Amino acid sequence: MDPKEIIARRVAAEIKPHTLVNLGIGIPTLVSDHLDESLGVFFQAENGVVGMGHRPPEGMTDRHLTDAGGSFVSAVPGASTIDSAFSFGLIRGGHLDLTVLGGLQVDARGYLANWMIPGHYVPGMGGAMDLVTGAKRVIVAMIHSAKGGAPKIVPECALPLTAERRVDLIVTEMAVIRPEDDGLHLLETGPGVTVAEVRAATAASLIVSGDVPEMDLSRSC
């Protein structure tokens, strides 16, 4: 299975019915593909959409209906559009149940860095700082290692932090990791991945308690 699909499927199992969820750009946008619309999950985007649906088929796109990354989306029954002030009021006011964001690095405390890419022009950090600060729960969905194999889960982030708030869960194709006060707890390994392989690909120390199960990708929320 494609690593990105493994991550998206595992994150989808964390989403509860009838919740308000923000999905970041990249891998997080794949998460909604693995949730049944009957679960009543509403997806919000910072640019002012509440109730995003799947990407529309070719020929059915509407340039006025996009997510915060500029990708075309559809709208589910009951969806609404709002202005940016209202949209960020939802985020900063603590009304989002969950946000799923991509990551460049996560440190041993569970702090995320996800908005500055060295050597690349990035127009802005979007709503990531507000989302990490304001959402009730934060999940980082990212490939375990950077291109070239450098670890992305590190003792201390070399890149600027997105916010000084610990994220709640890290999901990669190799592992599910929960940051806590005493460090990073390895909860699950990816399909066919051993604990030793996760440790070898992770620069930060991992806390392992007993047998670590493999991800169950058949689960739904």
Side-chain angles (χ1 to χ4, degrees):
M1 188 181 296
D2 180 84
K4 294 180 180 179
E5 183 176 352
I6 292 173
I7 297 168
R9 282 181 176 274
R10 180 59 188 84
V11 171
E14 295 288 323
I15 298 178
K16 300 184 184 305
H18 308 294
T19 52
L20 182 60
V21 177
N22 176 288
L23 299 177
I25 62 175
I27 293 174
T29 62
L30 305 176
V31 172
S32 61
D33 293 341
H34 303 287
L35 282 178
D36 193 313
E37 290 187 358
S38 66
L39 296 172
V41 176
F42 266 59
F43 292 101
Q44 181 260 6
E46 301 97 288
N47 58 327
V49 184
V50 178
M52 290 188 301
H54 297 304
R55 181 180 173 82
E58 192 70 26
M60 296 297 289
T61 55
D62 181 341
R63 66 186 179 90
H64 297 294
L65 190 54
T66 69
D67 62 19
S71 298
F72 292 115
V73 296
S74 59
V76 302
S80 63
T81 56
I82 54 181
D83 63 24
S84 294
F86 198 138
S87 185
F88 274 83
L90 285 175
I91 298 169
R92 295 169 181 170
H95 302 289
L96 278 183
D97 294 295
L98 170 68
T99 184
V100 183
L101 297 171
L104 297 172
Q105 292 178 328
V106 182
D107 71 19
R109 299 169 299 173
Y111 286 10
L112 169 68
N114 81 333
W115 66 274
M116 179 180 282
I117 305 174
H120 292 264
Y121 171 72
V122 180
M125 69 290 290
M129 294 176 180
D130 299 271
L131 289 161
V132 174
T133 303
K136 294 174 185 171
R137 191 163 184 242
V138 179
I139 295 178
V140 177
M142 65 179 187
I143 297 295
H144 201 92
S145 302
K147 290 180 180 177
K152 296 173 73 174
I153 302 173
V154 294
E156 185 172 352
C157 289
L159 299 172
L161 297 180
T162 303
E164 290 195 350
R165 173 199 166 168
R166 188 167 67 207
V167 304
D168 297 281
L169 199 68
I170 306 164
V171 179
T172 76
E173 79 281 15
M174 296 186 74
V176 178
I177 297 169
R178 184 177 62 227
E180 296 186 15
D181 288 341
D182 58 348
L184 302 176
H185 289 250
L186 178 62
L187 304 183
E188 301 171 19
T189 58
V193 178
T194 67
V195 171
E197 288 171 330
V198 176
R199 285 191 190 276
T202 307
S205 297
L206 294 174
I207 299 170
V208 179
S209 302
D211 295 333
V212 179
E214 191 172 286
M215 292 180 196
D216 179 2
L217 299 178
S218 66
R219 289 184 297 173
S220 58
C221 68

